[in-house]
Amino acid sequence: MLSRLHLPPRAVLAIDGHGASGKTTLARRLAAEHGAACVVGTDDLAWHHSFFDWADLLIDAVLLPYRAGWPVSSRPPGWVRMGREGSIEVPAETELLIVEGTGAGRLEAAPYVDALIWVDVDLDVARERGLARDVASGVNGTRAEAEKFWDEWMAEEIPFLNRHRPWERADLIVG
């Protein structure tokens, strides 16, 4: 799949789509296929921060240093505030930086992205996948709590994606 994108030797690939569309799975598969890739998830940038108000964190803390050839080591504000250990790391020798997550193809990041993949999914299918994932992992508690979170997420996700319309700029659409 990567060969269809015509990426430069040191590239940024954004993988965007609705929640539970399969972005993370695709990113991991492409990173393994490439061999010198690193995956940064927008969920990590946004952790205990904001669903979608994290463009500055992506650009300033990840994309600009990577584009300059520097290693990335970033502790997003939510990590610091909540005492989360570790940091987002991208070694300087990384040849392909894959940014995956809803909003990875946002307009503000477009100048720093070499290719964009949109992962298309039926919203009802995504909802059931997301709820099953979240309940199984315990990330959002009970089914009722997961449904409440999902509804809050979608109330922000749909208008956000409709403003940014990443599928219209996608180099590749998969589903």
Side-chain angles (χ1 to χ4, degrees), residues 29-59:
R29 192 177 95 224
L30 294 178
E33 176 185 318
H34 186 277
C38 186
V39 177
V40 171
T42 62
D43 285 350
D44 285 328
L45 288 168
W47 192 76
H48 284 273
H49 182 68
S50 167
F51 285 161
F52 298 106
D53 187 21
W54 43 259
D56 58 329
L57 300 177
L58 174 62
I59 294 166

PDB file of all heavy atoms in Angstrom, residues 29-59:
ATOM      1  N   ARG A  29       0.144  -1.776  10.818  1.00  0.00           N
ATOM      2  CA  ARG A  29       0.483  -2.644   9.692  1.00  0.00           C
ATOM      3  C   ARG A  29       1.454  -1.951   8.738  1.00  0.00           C
ATOM      4  O   ARG A  29       2.445  -2.548   8.302  1.00  0.00           O
ATOM      5  CB  ARG A  29      -0.784  -3.065   8.960  1.00  0.00           C
ATOM      6  CG  ARG A  29      -0.525  -4.186   7.970  1.00  0.00           C
ATOM      7  CD  ARG A  29      -1.765  -4.668   7.276  1.00  0.00           C
ATOM      8  NE  ARG A  29      -1.855  -3.948   6.014  1.00  0.00           N
ATOM      9  CZ  ARG A  29      -2.951  -3.407   5.519  1.00  0.00           C
ATOM     10  NH1 ARG A  29      -4.094  -3.490   6.155  1.00  0.00           N
ATOM     11  NH2 ARG A  29      -2.935  -2.796   4.367  1.00  0.00           N
ATOM     12  N   LEU A  30       1.200  -0.694   8.418  1.00  0.00           N
ATOM     13  CA  LEU A  30       2.079   0.044   7.509  1.00  0.00           C
ATOM     14  C   LEU A  30       3.446   0.285   8.130  1.00  0.00           C
ATOM     15  O   LEU A  30       4.463   0.220   7.430  1.00  0.00           O
ATOM     16  CB  LEU A  30       1.435   1.359   7.089  1.00  0.00           C
ATOM     17  CG  LEU A  30       0.180   1.235   6.232  1.00  0.00           C
ATOM     18  CD1 LEU A  30      -0.394   2.612   5.933  1.00  0.00           C
ATOM     19  CD2 LEU A  30       0.460   0.470   4.947  1.00  0.00           C
ATOM     20  N   ALA A  31       3.495   0.552   9.425  1.00  0.00           N
ATOM     21  CA  ALA A  31       4.780   0.742  10.100  1.00  0.00           C
ATOM     22  C   ALA A  31       5.604  -0.539  10.051  1.00  0.00           C
ATOM     23  O   ALA A  31       6.813  -0.503   9.786  1.00  0.00           O
ATOM     24  CB  ALA A  31       4.563   1.184  11.539  1.00  0.00           C
ATOM     25  N   ALA A  32       4.966  -1.669  10.277  1.00  0.00           N
ATOM     26  CA  ALA A  32       5.673  -2.953  10.215  1.00  0.00           C
ATOM     27  C   ALA A  32       6.147  -3.239   8.794  1.00  0.00           C
ATOM     28  O   ALA A  32       7.262  -3.730   8.596  1.00  0.00           O
ATOM     29  CB  ALA A  32       4.770  -4.074  10.714  1.00  0.00           C
ATOM     30  N   GLU A  33       5.323  -2.912   7.810  1.00  0.00           N
ATOM     31  CA  GLU A  33       5.686  -3.109   6.407  1.00  0.00           C
ATOM     32  C   GLU A  33       6.888  -2.250   6.026  1.00  0.00           C
ATOM     33  O   GLU A  33       7.772  -2.697   5.305  1.00  0.00           O
ATOM     34  CB  GLU A  33       4.486  -2.732   5.528  1.00  0.00           C
ATOM     35  CG  GLU A  33       4.727  -2.792   4.042  1.00  0.00           C
ATOM     36  CD  GLU A  33       3.523  -2.277   3.253  1.00  0.00           C
ATOM     37  OE1 GLU A  33       2.367  -2.603   3.626  1.00  0.00           O
ATOM     38  OE2 GLU A  33       3.738  -1.543   2.275  1.00  0.00           O
ATOM     39  N   HIS A  34       6.940  -1.029   6.537  1.00  0.00           N
ATOM     40  CA  HIS A  34       8.012  -0.102   6.179  1.00  0.00           C
ATOM     41  C   HIS A  34       9.329  -0.482   6.851  1.00  0.00           C
ATOM     42  O   HIS A  34      10.373  -0.493   6.214  1.00  0.00           O
ATOM     43  CB  HIS A  34       7.614   1.331   6.534  1.00  0.00           C
ATOM     44  CG  HIS A  34       8.595   2.353   6.079  1.00  0.00           C
ATOM     45  ND1 HIS A  34       9.720   2.664   6.800  1.00  0.00           N
ATOM     46  CD2 HIS A  34       8.624   3.116   4.957  1.00  0.00           C
ATOM     47  CE1 HIS A  34      10.399   3.596   6.158  1.00  0.00           C
ATOM     48  NE2 HIS A  34       9.756   3.887   5.035  1.00  0.00           N
ATOM     49  N   GLY A  35       9.276  -0.725   8.147  1.00  0.00           N
ATOM     50  CA  GLY A  35      10.471  -1.133   8.876  1.00  0.00           C
ATOM     51  C   GLY A  35      11.196  -0.005   9.588  1.00  0.00           C
ATOM     52  O   GLY A  35      11.810  -0.224  10.624  1.00  0.00           O
ATOM     53  N   ALA A  36      11.190   1.212   9.047  1.00  0.00           N
ATOM     54  CA  ALA A  36      11.859   2.347   9.695  1.00  0.00           C
ATOM     55  C   ALA A  36      10.841   3.444   9.988  1.00  0.00           C
ATOM     56  O   ALA A  36      11.109   4.629   9.809  1.00  0.00           O
ATOM     57  CB  ALA A  36      12.986   2.869   8.813  1.00  0.00           C
ATOM     58  N   ALA A  37       9.677   3.010  10.428  1.00  0.00           N
ATOM     59  CA  ALA A  37       8.575   3.948  10.687  1.00  0.00           C
ATOM     60  C   ALA A  37       8.286   4.044  12.178  1.00  0.00           C
ATOM     61  O   ALA A  37       8.593   3.132  12.947  1.00  0.00           O
ATOM     62  CB  ALA A  37       7.318   3.497   9.943  1.00  0.00           C
ATOM     63  N   CYS A  38       7.670   5.140  12.544  1.00  0.00           N
ATOM     64  CA  CYS A  38       7.234   5.365  13.909  1.00  0.00           C
ATOM     65  C   CYS A  38       5.804   5.882  13.853  1.00  0.00           C
ATOM     66  O   CYS A  38       5.474   6.688  12.980  1.00  0.00           O
ATOM     67  CB  CYS A  38       8.151   6.389  14.566  1.00  0.00           C
ATOM     68  SG  CYS A  38       7.831   6.630  16.314  1.00  0.00           S
ATOM     69  N   VAL A  39       4.962   5.412  14.762  1.00  0.00           N
ATOM     70  CA  VAL A  39       3.559   5.814  14.799  1.00  0.00           C
ATOM     71  C   VAL A  39       3.322   6.713  16.006  1.00  0.00           C
ATOM     72  O   VAL A  39       3.717   6.388  17.123  1.00  0.00           O
ATOM     73  CB  VAL A  39       2.626   4.585  14.884  1.00  0.00           C
ATOM     74  CG1 VAL A  39       1.170   5.014  15.008  1.00  0.00           C
ATOM     75  CG2 VAL A  39       2.821   3.671  13.677  1.00  0.00           C
ATOM     76  N   VAL A  40       2.674   7.857  15.743  1.00  0.00           N
ATOM     77  CA  VAL A  40       2.221   8.752  16.801  1.00  0.00           C
ATOM     78  C   VAL A  40       0.706   8.811  16.704  1.00  0.00           C
ATOM     79  O   VAL A  40       0.159   9.125  15.636  1.00  0.00           O
ATOM     80  CB  VAL A  40       2.827  10.166  16.660  1.00  0.00           C
ATOM     81  CG1 VAL A  40       2.160  11.137  17.637  1.00  0.00           C
ATOM     82  CG2 VAL A  40       4.331  10.126  16.880  1.00  0.00           C
ATOM     83  N   GLY A  41       0.035   8.498  17.797  1.00  0.00           N
ATOM     84  CA  GLY A  41      -1.420   8.533  17.830  1.00  0.00           C
ATOM     85  C   GLY A  41      -1.933   9.860  18.365  1.00  0.00           C
ATOM     86  O   GLY A  41      -1.436  10.361  19.374  1.00  0.00           O
ATOM     87  N   THR A  42      -2.924  10.413  17.690  1.00  0.00           N
ATOM     88  CA  THR A  42      -3.500  11.667  18.170  1.00  0.00           C
ATOM     89  C   THR A  42      -4.186  11.477  19.525  1.00  0.00           C
ATOM     90  O   THR A  42      -4.293  12.428  20.293  1.00  0.00           O
ATOM     91  CB  THR A  42      -4.476  12.272  17.148  1.00  0.00           C
ATOM     92  OG1 THR A  42      -5.566  11.381  16.935  1.00  0.00           O
ATOM     93  CG2 THR A  42      -3.772  12.574  15.836  1.00  0.00           C
ATOM     94  N   ASP A  43      -4.623  10.253  19.824  1.00  0.00           N
ATOM     95  CA  ASP A  43      -5.207   9.991  21.140  1.00  0.00           C
ATOM     96  C   ASP A  43      -4.188  10.272  22.246  1.00  0.00           C
ATOM     97  O   ASP A  43      -4.552  10.721  23.334  1.00  0.00           O
ATOM     98  CB  ASP A  43      -5.699   8.551  21.257  1.00  0.00           C
ATOM     99  CG  ASP A  43      -6.991   8.298  20.493  1.00  0.00           C
ATOM    100  OD1 ASP A  43      -7.616   9.273  20.024  1.00  0.00           O
ATOM    101  OD2 ASP A  43      -7.362   7.125  20.355  1.00  0.00           O
ATOM    102  N   ASP A  44      -2.911  10.013  21.966  1.00  0.00           N
ATOM    103  CA  ASP A  44      -1.875  10.303  22.961  1.00  0.00           C
ATOM    104  C   ASP A  44      -1.670  11.807  23.111  1.00  0.00           C
ATOM    105  O   ASP A  44      -1.507  12.308  24.226  1.00  0.00           O
ATOM    106  CB  ASP A  44      -0.558   9.618  22.596  1.00  0.00           C
ATOM    107  CG  ASP A  44      -0.598   8.129  22.860  1.00  0.00           C
ATOM    108  OD1 ASP A  44      -1.289   7.714  23.809  1.00  0.00           O
ATOM    109  OD2 ASP A  44       0.059   7.383  22.117  1.00  0.00           O
ATOM    110  N   LEU A  45      -1.664  12.531  22.004  1.00  0.00           N
ATOM    111  CA  LEU A  45      -1.536  13.989  22.081  1.00  0.00           C
ATOM    112  C   LEU A  45      -2.690  14.597  22.864  1.00  0.00           C
ATOM    113  O   LEU A  45      -2.507  15.523  23.645  1.00  0.00           O
ATOM    114  CB  LEU A  45      -1.508  14.598  20.682  1.00  0.00           C
ATOM    115  CG  LEU A  45      -0.250  14.387  19.870  1.00  0.00           C
ATOM    116  CD1 LEU A  45      -0.494  14.786  18.428  1.00  0.00           C
ATOM    117  CD2 LEU A  45       0.902  15.172  20.462  1.00  0.00           C
ATOM    118  N   ALA A  46      -3.886  14.085  22.621  1.00  0.00           N
ATOM    119  CA  ALA A  46      -5.107  14.666  23.192  1.00  0.00           C
ATOM    120  C   ALA A  46      -5.452  14.113  24.572  1.00  0.00           C
ATOM    121  O   ALA A  46      -6.406  14.582  25.183  1.00  0.00           O
ATOM    122  CB  ALA A  46      -6.271  14.411  22.230  1.00  0.00           C
ATOM    123  N   TRP A  47      -4.700  13.151  25.067  1.00  0.00           N
ATOM    124  CA  TRP A  47      -5.026  12.484  26.325  1.00  0.00           C
ATOM    125  C   TRP A  47      -5.208  13.502  27.445  1.00  0.00           C
ATOM    126  O   TRP A  47      -4.303  14.279  27.745  1.00  0.00           O
ATOM    127  CB  TRP A  47      -3.923  11.480  26.664  1.00  0.00           C
ATOM    128  CG  TRP A  47      -4.244  10.534  27.768  1.00  0.00           C
ATOM    129  CD1 TRP A  47      -5.065   9.444  27.721  1.00  0.00           C
ATOM    130  CD2 TRP A  47      -3.742  10.586  29.107  1.00  0.00           C
ATOM    131  NE1 TRP A  47      -5.091   8.829  28.932  1.00  0.00           N
ATOM    132  CE2 TRP A  47      -4.290   9.500  29.803  1.00  0.00           C
ATOM    133  CE3 TRP A  47      -2.875  11.444  29.773  1.00  0.00           C
ATOM    134  CZ2 TRP A  47      -4.005   9.246  31.137  1.00  0.00           C
ATOM    135  CZ3 TRP A  47      -2.592  11.203  31.102  1.00  0.00           C
ATOM    136  CH2 TRP A  47      -3.156  10.111  31.778  1.00  0.00           C
ATOM    137  N   HIS A  48      -6.391  13.525  28.050  1.00  0.00           N
ATOM    138  CA  HIS A  48      -6.747  14.453  29.125  1.00  0.00           C
ATOM    139  C   HIS A  48      -6.480  15.907  28.747  1.00  0.00           C
ATOM    140  O   HIS A  48      -6.071  16.726  29.576  1.00  0.00           O
ATOM    141  CB  HIS A  48      -6.041  14.095  30.440  1.00  0.00           C
ATOM    142  CG  HIS A  48      -6.662  12.931  31.113  1.00  0.00           C
ATOM    143  ND1 HIS A  48      -7.727  13.055  31.976  1.00  0.00           N
ATOM    144  CD2 HIS A  48      -6.398  11.606  31.027  1.00  0.00           C
ATOM    145  CE1 HIS A  48      -8.074  11.864  32.412  1.00  0.00           C
ATOM    146  NE2 HIS A  48      -7.295  10.960  31.849  1.00  0.00           N
ATOM    147  N   HIS A  49      -6.689  16.230  27.462  1.00  0.00           N
ATOM    148  CA  HIS A  49      -6.487  17.601  26.985  1.00  0.00           C
ATOM    149  C   HIS A  49      -7.773  18.107  26.338  1.00  0.00           C
ATOM    150  O   HIS A  49      -8.508  18.861  26.940  1.00  0.00           O
ATOM    151  CB  HIS A  49      -5.304  17.641  26.007  1.00  0.00           C
ATOM    152  CG  HIS A  49      -4.965  18.994  25.499  1.00  0.00           C
ATOM    153  ND1 HIS A  49      -4.445  19.978  26.302  1.00  0.00           N
ATOM    154  CD2 HIS A  49      -5.076  19.539  24.265  1.00  0.00           C
ATOM    155  CE1 HIS A  49      -4.250  21.067  25.586  1.00  0.00           C
ATOM    156  NE2 HIS A  49      -4.630  20.832  24.354  1.00  0.00           N
ATOM    157  N   SER A  50      -8.023  17.692  25.126  1.00  0.00           N
ATOM    158  CA  SER A  50      -9.201  18.124  24.374  1.00  0.00           C
ATOM    159  C   SER A  50      -9.418  17.128  23.255  1.00  0.00           C
ATOM    160  O   SER A  50      -8.464  16.562  22.728  1.00  0.00           O
ATOM    161  CB  SER A  50      -8.958  19.516  23.790  1.00  0.00           C
ATOM    162  OG  SER A  50      -9.932  19.840  22.822  1.00  0.00           O
ATOM    163  N   PHE A  51     -10.668  16.922  22.861  1.00  0.00           N
ATOM    164  CA  PHE A  51     -10.908  16.006  21.750  1.00  0.00           C
ATOM    165  C   PHE A  51     -10.174  16.467  20.491  1.00  0.00           C
ATOM    166  O   PHE A  51      -9.566  15.667  19.797  1.00  0.00           O
ATOM    167  CB  PHE A  51     -12.397  15.883  21.455  1.00  0.00           C
ATOM    168  CG  PHE A  51     -13.181  15.046  22.439  1.00  0.00           C
ATOM    169  CD1 PHE A  51     -14.547  15.189  22.514  1.00  0.00           C
ATOM    170  CD2 PHE A  51     -12.576  14.133  23.280  1.00  0.00           C
ATOM    171  CE1 PHE A  51     -15.305  14.426  23.406  1.00  0.00           C
ATOM    172  CE2 PHE A  51     -13.303  13.363  24.173  1.00  0.00           C
ATOM    173  CZ  PHE A  51     -14.676  13.516  24.236  1.00  0.00           C
ATOM    174  N   PHE A  52     -10.249  17.756  20.166  1.00  0.00           N
ATOM    175  CA  PHE A  52      -9.691  18.209  18.893  1.00  0.00           C
ATOM    176  C   PHE A  52      -8.865  19.486  18.953  1.00  0.00           C
ATOM    177  O   PHE A  52      -8.322  19.901  17.942  1.00  0.00           O
ATOM    178  CB  PHE A  52     -10.816  18.364  17.856  1.00  0.00           C
ATOM    179  CG  PHE A  52     -11.489  17.059  17.578  1.00  0.00           C
ATOM    180  CD1 PHE A  52     -12.746  16.791  18.070  1.00  0.00           C
ATOM    181  CD2 PHE A  52     -10.838  16.069  16.859  1.00  0.00           C
ATOM    182  CE1 PHE A  52     -13.361  15.565  17.849  1.00  0.00           C
ATOM    183  CE2 PHE A  52     -11.435  14.845  16.639  1.00  0.00           C
ATOM    184  CZ  PHE A  52     -12.699  14.590  17.129  1.00  0.00           C
ATOM    185  N   ASP A  53      -8.718  20.111  20.083  1.00  0.00           N
ATOM    186  CA  ASP A  53      -7.946  21.347  20.179  1.00  0.00           C
ATOM    187  C   ASP A  53      -6.498  21.034  20.544  1.00  0.00           C
ATOM    188  O   ASP A  53      -6.010  21.381  21.616  1.00  0.00           O
ATOM    189  CB  ASP A  53      -8.586  22.285  21.219  1.00  0.00           C
ATOM    190  CG  ASP A  53      -7.922  23.643  21.237  1.00  0.00           C
ATOM    191  OD1 ASP A  53      -7.271  24.015  20.248  1.00  0.00           O
ATOM    192  OD2 ASP A  53      -8.050  24.347  22.264  1.00  0.00           O
ATOM    193  N   TRP A  54      -5.808  20.342  19.632  1.00  0.00           N
ATOM    194  CA  TRP A  54      -4.435  19.933  19.883  1.00  0.00           C
ATOM    195  C   TRP A  54      -3.537  20.132  18.654  1.00  0.00           C
ATOM    196  O   TRP A  54      -2.432  19.578  18.594  1.00  0.00           O
ATOM    197  CB  TRP A  54      -4.365  18.480  20.347  1.00  0.00           C
ATOM    198  CG  TRP A  54      -5.259  17.552  19.576  1.00  0.00           C
ATOM    199  CD1 TRP A  54      -6.471  17.076  19.970  1.00  0.00           C
ATOM    200  CD2 TRP A  54      -5.034  17.020  18.257  1.00  0.00           C
ATOM    201  NE1 TRP A  54      -7.012  16.271  18.988  1.00  0.00           N
ATOM    202  CE2 TRP A  54      -6.152  16.224  17.919  1.00  0.00           C
ATOM    203  CE3 TRP A  54      -4.018  17.133  17.335  1.00  0.00           C
ATOM    204  CZ2 TRP A  54      -6.268  15.544  16.715  1.00  0.00           C
ATOM    205  CZ3 TRP A  54      -4.128  16.462  16.119  1.00  0.00           C
ATOM    206  CH2 TRP A  54      -5.247  15.682  15.830  1.00  0.00           C
ATOM    207  N   ALA A  55      -3.958  20.942  17.704  1.00  0.00           N
ATOM    208  CA  ALA A  55      -3.152  21.167  16.491  1.00  0.00           C
ATOM    209  C   ALA A  55      -1.762  21.675  16.839  1.00  0.00           C
ATOM    210  O   ALA A  55      -0.765  21.241  16.254  1.00  0.00           O
ATOM    211  CB  ALA A  55      -3.852  22.135  15.542  1.00  0.00           C
ATOM    212  N   ASP A  56      -1.670  22.598  17.797  1.00  0.00           N
ATOM    213  CA  ASP A  56      -0.371  23.135  18.190  1.00  0.00           C
ATOM    214  C   ASP A  56       0.534  22.056  18.764  1.00  0.00           C
ATOM    215  O   ASP A  56       1.745  22.050  18.518  1.00  0.00           O
ATOM    216  CB  ASP A  56      -0.530  24.289  19.170  1.00  0.00           C
ATOM    217  CG  ASP A  56      -1.288  23.899  20.439  1.00  0.00           C
ATOM    218  OD1 ASP A  56      -2.168  23.002  20.383  1.00  0.00           O
ATOM    219  OD2 ASP A  56      -1.013  24.495  21.500  1.00  0.00           O
ATOM    220  N   LEU A  57      -0.034  21.125  19.524  1.00  0.00           N
ATOM    221  CA  LEU A  57       0.774  20.042  20.090  1.00  0.00           C
ATOM    222  C   LEU A  57       1.345  19.170  18.980  1.00  0.00           C
ATOM    223  O   LEU A  57       2.508  18.762  19.032  1.00  0.00           O
ATOM    224  CB  LEU A  57      -0.056  19.194  21.055  1.00  0.00           C
ATOM    225  CG  LEU A  57      -0.662  19.913  22.255  1.00  0.00           C
ATOM    226  CD1 LEU A  57      -1.514  18.955  23.068  1.00  0.00           C
ATOM    227  CD2 LEU A  57       0.409  20.554  23.099  1.00  0.00           C
ATOM    228  N   LEU A  58       0.526  18.857  17.988  1.00  0.00           N
ATOM    229  CA  LEU A  58       0.988  18.040  16.865  1.00  0.00           C
ATOM    230  C   LEU A  58       2.061  18.767  16.066  1.00  0.00           C
ATOM    231  O   LEU A  58       3.130  18.216  15.792  1.00  0.00           O
ATOM    232  CB  LEU A  58      -0.194  17.672  15.954  1.00  0.00           C
ATOM    233  CG  LEU A  58       0.153  16.944  14.661  1.00  0.00           C
ATOM    234  CD1 LEU A  58       0.816  15.597  14.957  1.00  0.00           C
ATOM    235  CD2 LEU A  58      -1.100  16.770  13.808  1.00  0.00           C
ATOM    236  N   ILE A  59       1.783  19.992  15.709  1.00  0.00           N
ATOM    237  CA  ILE A  59       2.700  20.727  14.839  1.00  0.00           C
ATOM    238  C   ILE A  59       3.975  21.108  15.571  1.00  0.00           C
ATOM    239  O   ILE A  59       5.082  20.793  15.113  1.00  0.00           O
ATOM    240  CB  ILE A  59       1.996  21.960  14.237  1.00  0.00           C
ATOM    241  CG1 ILE A  59       0.869  21.501  13.298  1.00  0.00           C
ATOM    242  CG2 ILE A  59       2.996  22.852  13.502  1.00  0.00           C
ATOM    243  CD1 ILE A  59      -0.113  22.581  12.906  1.00  0.00           C
TER     244      ILE A  59
END
